[in-house]
Amino acid sequence: MSRGAQPGREGLSETSGDDVPWGRPAVAGIPLPPFRDAAEQAAYVLSLQTFLALLDEGEPAAGTIALMAALAAEVARGNSDAFPQLSPLALGVSLSTFFPAPWTPKTLAAALAPLGAFTPRYGWGSWGWGGDPDYRATPHRGGWAIERHERGSRTHATMPHEGDLVLLWMDMYRNRFPYPIAHGLSASAQTPDALAAAARATRAAHAVNVAKPYLQTWREEREQALLERPGGREPLR
């Protein structure tokens, strides 16, 4: 790299991978916390449920349906204490899926604040977060310049899109490895072998449900929506 040149995303391991949808646009119109009322909170969660359903390939997975139902139950409770903020479940799912609500660094930092002392904070014209290592993001040519500091060493990267800082935080604060993925098996949990017969039975029951017309209608609507084409088509229902 020439002297004085700015590195690109490859400047940091945290920004160099393609397992983050860098540059993807947000969707305007989705309400953000702090919500003004339960209706705004419901609008956010309903959009999140729709996004989850779009992420499935093939049949709607049993796990996806269960997660959407858990989100729906939170909204149905109508607990006035649940807004103006997102529930931990809705926030966690939003981070894990890079849900395209129109987050700004300020609004996402506020939503992340309950997660602990090392969440993003603004000061002196830049955003800082982390502990060891710690990071600082400064606006740069419509995107961001990122500095990583760890025990005296400093490395740098630049991200070209304004929304990339939000995506970086989503990646850094999501739970990439929920149990049992990438975990040693816990002695307090049942093993995959012990649960396998019941899982096969649930899969068989789910296969019967998948064949029903209402899920076929959803699959057709989903595939229409995912086609890369200008404009859109009328929903099937």
Side-chain angles (χ1 to χ4, degrees):
M1 183 181 299
S2 63
R3 185 171 181 174
Q6 288 286 343
R9 274 202 300 109
E10 70 279 0
L12 299 180
S13 60
E14 292 89 340
T15 61
S16 62
D18 290 327
D19 57 344
V20 176
W22 304 113
R24 71 104 175 91
V27 177
I30 300 172
L32 290 174
F35 302 117
R36 291 177 296 181
D37 52 32
E40 282 199 350
Q41 183 195 41
Y44 182 101
V45 174
L46 289 169
S47 297
L48 178 58
Q49 290 171 251
T50 304
F51 189 65
L52 285 173
L54 287 169
L55 294 180
D56 262 339
E57 296 183 13
E59 65 182 38
T64 301
I65 293 174
L67 183 52
M68 291 190 296
L71 288 166
E74 290 196 333
V75 173
R77 280 195 293 269
N79 183 355
S80 61
D81 294 333
F83 62 85
Q85 301 301 334
L86 285 173
S87 70
L89 175 62
L91 177 61
V93 173
S94 298
L95 299 178
S96 294
T97 60
F98 302 101
F99 179 54
W103 295 104
T104 64
K106 182 178 180 180
T107 55
L108 184 56
L112 292 172
L115 299 183
F118 299 118
T119 53
R121 286 184 167 84
Y122 187 78
W124 301 98
S126 62
W127 287 95
W129 69 98
D132 185 18
D134 59 86
Y135 302 83
R136 189 151 295 277
T138 306
H140 176 74
R141 296 180 181 177
W144 299 91
I146 310 293
E147 179 181 81
R148 182 184 193 271
H149 169 250
E150 185 174 21
R151 301 178 188 180
S153 67
R154 297 182 186 275
T155 49
H156 300 83
T158 57
M159 299 188 298
H161 305 100
E162 184 178 7
D164 283 348
L165 182 58
V166 162
L167 293 169
L168 175 62
W169 289 348
M170 286 183 163
D171 185 39
M172 296 182 80
Y173 291 97
R174 64 177 168 148
N175 183 355
R176 281 175 170 267
F177 307 114
Y179 186 86
I181 299 169
H183 285 256
L185 294 180
S186 170
S188 63
Q190 293 296 316
T191 66
D193 284 346
L195 296 167
R200 287 192 295 270
T202 295
R203 281 186 168 194
H206 181 63
V208 174
N209 190 42
V210 164
K212 293 179 179 178
Y214 77 99
L215 284 179
Q216 178 62 38
T217 297
W218 164 248
R219 287 194 295 273
E220 293 173 2
E221 187 170 342
R222 179 192 64 196
E223 295 313 307
Q224 285 184 13
L226 290 172
L227 288 174
E228 292 188 13
R229 48 178 163 60
R233 296 174 61 177
E234 290 297 318
L236 301 179
R237 53 193 170 83

